[in-house]
Amino acid sequence: MNVAVCMKRTPDTTAKIQIASDQTSLVEEGINWIINPYDEFAIEEGLRVVEKHGGEVTLICLGPAEAEKTIREGLAMGAHKAIRLDAAQVPADPRVTARALAEVLKEGNYDLILFGKQAIDDDHAQVASLVATELNLPCVNVVVKLELDPENGRGTAEREIEGGHERVSFPLPAIISAQRGLNEPRYRSLKGIMAAKKKPIEVKTASLEDSQLAVLKYAYPPAKKPGRIVGEGKEAVPELVRLLREEAKVL
Amino acid sequence: MATCLVVSEIRDNQLKNVNWEAFTAARQLAEQLGLTPAAVLLGSGVEGLAEAPARYGMERTYVVDDARLANYSGDCYAAAVAEVARQTEAQVVLMAATAMGKDLLPRVAYRLGTTTAQDVIQFRVENGEVIFTRPMFAGKVWAEVKVTGSPVVATLRPKMFAPEEKAVAGQVEKLSVELPEPLAVVEEVKASGGGKLDVTEADIVVSGGRGLKGPENWHLIEELAELLGAATGASRAVVDAGWRPHGEQVGQTGKTVAPTLYIAIGISGAIQHQAGMSSSKYIVAINKDPDAPIFKIADYGIVGDLFEVVPALIEEIKKLKQQD
Ligand SMILES: Cc1cc2nc3c(=O)[nH]c(=O)nc-3n(C[C@H](O)[C@H](O)[C@H](O)COP(=O)(O)OP(=O)(O)OC[C@H]3O[C@@H](n4cnc5c(N)ncnc54)[C@H](O)[C@@H]3O)c2cc1C
Ligand SMILES: Nc1ncnc2c1ncn2[C@@H]1O[C@H](COP(=O)(O)O)[C@@H](O)[C@H]1O
C-alpha cells in the first residue's frame, strides 16, 4: 500500500491567538506549532496500514519552510518521507489548498490518501472532500474505524454522524479523513526522532490559484458576561432552579 | 428566476429540525438579495415531505426522487445538488452544518467552481453581498468572510439561527437529474443505543466530567438528563477513561454544541472543553472547586459537592414538574 497523509502545521490547542492591528491577519510570533491533532490520527492510521500490508507513508504538507520542523515530527512517528509544498502562507480558501495538494497527489499513485477531519486553525473541515472531488475518488469523512482489504481493492469505514455511525464501503484508491477515536497515535521514540533527521523532505512549488474566500476582518468573539456563582452546596439549588425558571426561562 | 437554495437534510424519511433554521435563514437572505427562496429534497420516496418547506417561506421546493438516493452518498448527492443548483440558477446555496451538510456542500461548491464558508454563525448583506461570520481556532477568533466565487455556498451551524414559520403558497416541482454511480456507498446507518438524542441536536445538554469519580455514578447525569429531556455529554477525560463513548465528547476534539442550556457537572472547564460549549445560551456549572475555570463562563454556578447538589437538583426539578 502506497499511502499519503496530508498534514498541516497548526498552533497548539492552548495557543492564544492574537489579531494583528490590521485586523486581517494573525500574529504568528510566540506560537507553538504542532501537527494538526486530527492529522496525527491520520499519520498513525497510515503507519498501521503499511505495517500490516506493507508499503510506505509519504507526508504532504503545504506550508512555509518553518513547517519542516513539524514535518520532522511526523517523520519521527515513522513516516518514510515527505513532500513540502512551498508557500509562504497557507491559503485562506480551502479550495486553493485542495487544488495544490491534488496536483502532487495525482503524481504519487497512492492507494490510500489520509487527511484529518479538520484543521484546528481554520476549521474548514473540507479539504479532503475537495481533493476527492478533484481526483474523482471515493471519500469518507470523520472516520472512527477503517478496515482495508487490499487483495480485493476495497475498504470499509465507519464515520460519525449525529446520533450514530454510517458504515461506508468503497473501492481503493480512496480518501479518508480521520476523527479522534480512530486510533491512539504513538509516541515519538528517541530512535524515531534520530531517524527522522535523515529522512528526505522534497520541496516543490505549490501552484496556488486565486482565492475565492476573502477574509474581511478578524475579531475576538464578544466577551461572555463574567460568570456568576449562585451559592454553595445543595442549599443553593432552589435559587438555581428559580433562576433557570424565571430568568433564563428554560425550565 | 435565480434562487437562494437550501439543501434539506432528510434522515429516516423525515426532514430534520435543523432544516427549519436553514429555511428561515434562506428566506431572510432571499428577501434582501431579491432571490427566490427554494428548497431541494433528495431521497427515495420523499415526495410526501415536499409541502413542509413552504411553511417556512420556501416558494419553490424541488424534489429529486431516486432509489439511488435512498442513503446518503457524498459523491452522488453532490452531483445531484450541483445539477439542481445549475438548473435553478442558484446564487446562494445553503445547508445546515451537520455531518451531512459539512460533507456535502464543499463537494457541491467544488463542482460548481466556487468555495464554501463552512459552519457560519451569522450573516448580513452589505451592498448586495453576503458577509458571513465563522468561528476559527475553535471559536477563539471570529472571521468575517465573503465568498467571491459564484454561487455563494455556506453551511449554517445548528442552533445559531432561530426558526420562524412564515407560510407561503409554495410550488413543488420534480426535477430529474442524471446521477453517477456512487463511489462510496453507505451500507448501514447505525443508531447509537436506545435512540438517544445527540448532543448537537438537543436543546438541553447535561455533561459530566472526571468529578463523577467513575462510570458507576453516571446515573446522576442520566437521571437529570431524562428529567429535562436532555442529551448527555462528557468531557474528554471521561471519554479517554472509557466511561463514555466518544460520540458524547464535547470540546475542541469532540462535538461543538450550542444548546439553550448546558449543565457542566464535575467538569473543570479546560479551554479545549470550552471550545465546544461556550456558545451555549445558558451555562450551569456544578463543581467543588471555586477556582475551576468553568465558573468564569457559567451564568449560574454552584460551588459544592456534586454528589449532594445533583440529587438535590433532581428532587427540586421533580417537585417543580409535579406542580405544573
Ligand atoms: C489537543 C487536546 C484536545 C482536547 N480536546 C478536548 C475536548 O474536546 N473536550 C474536553 O473536554 N477536553 C479536551 N481536552 C482535555 C482538556 O484539556 C481537559 O483535560 C479535560 O477537559 C478535563 O476533563 P474534566 O474536566 O472532566 O476533568 P478534570 O480537569 O480532572 O476536572 C474534574 C473537575 O471535577 C471537579 N470535582 C471533583 N470531584 C467533585 C465533586 N465531588 N463534586 C463537584 N466537583 C468535583 C474538580 O474540582 C475538577 O474541576 C483536550 C486536550 C488536548 C491537549
Ligand atoms: N496546508 C495544508 N497542508 C497539508 N494538508 C492540509 C493543509 N490544510 C489542510 N490539510 C489537510 O486537510 C485536512 C482538513 O483541513 P481543513 O479542511 O482546512 O479543516 C487537514 O486535517 C489536513 O489533513
Side-chain angles (χ1 to χ4, degrees):
Chain A
M1 295 281 286
N2 190 12
V3 179
V5 182
C6 291
M7 60 158 276
K8 187 179 190 184
R9 144 190 118 130
T10 59
D12 76 24
T13 56
T14 54
K16 197 167 172 304
I17 305 302
Q18 265 182 289
I19 298 168
S21 53
D22 64 2
Q23 291 194 309
T24 56
S25 60
L26 302 168
V27 178
E28 296 205 338
E29 266 156 55
I31 281 182
N32 180 30
W33 298 93
I34 58 167
I35 303 174
N36 177 39
Y38 297 107
D39 302 352
E40 251 187 72
F41 302 122
I43 296 171
E44 176 62 35
E45 199 62 20
L47 294 173
R48 290 184 190 195
V49 166
V50 301
E51 278 160 10
K52 190 161 169 196
H53 303 289
E56 275 192 343
V57 174
T58 305
L59 304 178
I60 299 176
C61 176
L62 186 159
E66 294 80 43
E68 292 196 2
K69 188 164 168 261
T70 315
I71 296 173
R72 296 259 175 233
E73 288 178 28
L75 293 171
M77 284 176 73
H80 300 79
K81 54 191 196 314
I83 301 172
R84 182 174 65 84
L85 284 176
D86 185 44
Q89 275 193 321
V90 292
D93 180 354
R95 180 186 176 92
V96 175
T97 302
R99 291 183 70 86
L101 290 173
E103 204 169 284
V104 284
L105 287 165
K106 258 177 216 163
E107 298 162 0
N109 213 3
Y110 300 107
D111 305 301
L112 179 69
I113 307 173
L114 293 159
F115 290 79
K117 71 140 188 170
Q118 173 170 357
I120 64 160
D121 49 6
D122 58 38
D123 290 334
H124 287 312
Q126 53 177 294
V127 168
S129 300
L130 304 182
V131 170
T133 309
E134 169 64 26
L135 300 180
N136 196 32
L137 290 178
C139 171
V140 193
N141 284 311
V142 199
V143 166
V144 290
K145 196 170 165 198
L146 179 65
E147 276 162 16
L148 298 178
D149 178 3
E151 277 80 67
N152 294 305
R154 295 200 64 86
T156 316
E158 268 184 33
R159 79 182 211 98
E160 260 182 21
I161 60 168
E162 291 80 10
H165 294 90
E166 281 174 347
R167 197 160 58 82
V168 187
S169 122
F170 52 85
L172 294 172
I175 290 187
I176 297 291
S177 78
Q179 162 69 319
R180 224 185 102 72
L182 179 62
N183 54 45
E184 201 49 63
R186 65 197 61 190
Y187 286 103
R188 300 181 248 287
S189 66
L190 190 61
K191 204 170 136 225
I193 294 168
M194 296 311 287
K197 293 190 174 150
K198 291 189 225 90
K199 290 181 181 170
I201 301 179
E202 185 187 347
V203 180
K204 294 191 174 178
T205 28
S207 47
L208 301 179
E209 298 177 359
D210 289 343
S211 171
Q212 299 189 61
L213 189 74
V215 178
L216 307 174
K217 190 180 147 197
Y218 289 112
Y220 297 110
K224 252 196 109 52
K225 52 182 188 315
R228 164 164 148 207
I229 303 284
V230 175
E232 279 182 30
K234 61 174 191 273
E235 285 68 39
V237 166
E239 176 63 2
L240 170 66
V241 171
R242 187 190 70 77
L243 287 167
L244 288 176
R245 192 177 167 86
E246 291 171 14
E247 197 179 88
K249 300 190 168 59
V250 290
L251 290 187
Chain B
M1 183 212 54
T3 59
C4 175
L5 186 69
V6 180
V7 185
S8 318
E9 174 154 357
I10 299 172
R11 292 262 183 204
D12 299 327
N13 257 311
Q14 288 198 358
L15 279 161
K16 301 224 320 180
N17 289 339
V18 277
N19 292 303
W20 318 141
E21 300 165 19
F23 293 155
T24 305
R27 176 177 59 75
Q28 293 165 349
L29 261 184
E31 263 166 30
Q32 295 178 63
L33 296 169
L35 301 171
T36 305
V40 52
L41 268 53
L42 304 111
S44 174
V46 294
E47 261 183 282
L49 307 173
E51 302 297 328
R55 290 209 316 268
Y56 290 85
M58 297 297 99
E59 289 168 20
R60 300 288 163 90
T61 296
Y62 303 103
V63 181
V64 184
D65 208 295
D66 191 302
R68 280 171 294 178
L69 297 172
N71 266 334
Y72 176 65
S73 134
D75 35 73
C76 207
Y77 268 54
V81 174
E83 187 50 33
V84 172
R86 281 190 204 104
Q87 286 186 24
T88 68
E89 292 165 37
Q91 304 295 304
V92 180
V93 182
L94 301 174
M95 187 169 182
T98 55
M100 190 191 288
K102 288 203 263 191
D103 188 87
L104 177 57
L105 279 217
R107 305 185 194 227
V108 171
Y110 195 88
R111 286 169 179 267
L112 296 172
T114 181
T115 202
T116 306
Q118 186 93 291
D119 211 19
V120 312
I121 58 169
Q122 289 173 0
F123 61 77
R124 62 171 198 276
V125 175
E126 241 176 58
N127 305 324
E129 290 180 324
V130 196
I131 295 170
F132 296 107
T133 303
R134 55 179 307 270
M136 289 173 56
F137 298 88
K140 288 182 205 171
V141 169
W142 286 8
E144 283 188 2
V145 302
K146 192 169 79 177
V147 175
T148 56
S150 176
V152 167
V153 181
T155 60
L156 310 175
R157 181 179 288 186
K159 306 255 180 230
M160 287 291 146
F161 302 89
E164 210 181 287
E165 286 204 33
K166 187 170 189 261
V168 293
Q171 210 173 305
V172 178
E173 197 178 316
K174 267 192 95 157
L175 291 184
S176 67
V177 302
E178 219 170 291
L179 293 174
E181 274 308 310
L183 298 168
V185 180
V186 174
E187 296 198 321
E188 190 188 358
V189 181
K190 301 201 237 178
S192 39
K196 274 174 61 176
L197 207 54
D198 190 70
V199 272
T200 56
E201 298 177 309
D203 245 358
I204 303 182
V205 174
V206 180
S207 276
R210 188 142 51 189
L212 264 293
K213 302 277 189 287
E216 67 280 5
N217 297 320
W218 211 258
H219 63 93
L220 287 172
I221 301 293
E222 268 160 358
E223 236 176 281
L224 183 57
E226 195 175 322
L227 204 55
L228 296 170
T232 57
S235 72
R236 169 159 159 191
V238 157
V239 171
D240 281 353
W243 303 356
R244 301 305 301 169
H246 179 256
E248 286 188 11
Q249 183 180 317
V250 173
Q252 179 152 26
T253 43
K255 292 191 170 146
T256 305
V257 302
T260 311
L261 176 62
Y262 187 88
I263 306 183
I265 301 174
I267 292 180
S268 58
I271 181 131
Q272 299 94 348
H273 188 79
Q274 290 190 19
M277 47 66 76
S278 63
S279 47
S280 306
K281 189 142 183 237
Y282 291 98
I283 297 169
V284 168
I286 300 169
N287 196 304
K288 68 176 183 189
D289 173 8
D291 295 325
I294 191 79
F295 285 129
K296 293 219 168 58
I297 59 159
D299 299 275
Y300 309 115
I302 293 186
V303 180
D305 184 351
L306 72 91
F307 294 103
E308 284 178 18
V309 176
V310 177
L313 182 58
I314 290 171
E315 281 319 303
E316 194 70 18
I317 294 172
K318 274 189 188 153
K319 260 201 284 183
L320 199 72
K321 299 247 151 164
Q322 276 159 11
Q323 285 166 17
D324 286 345

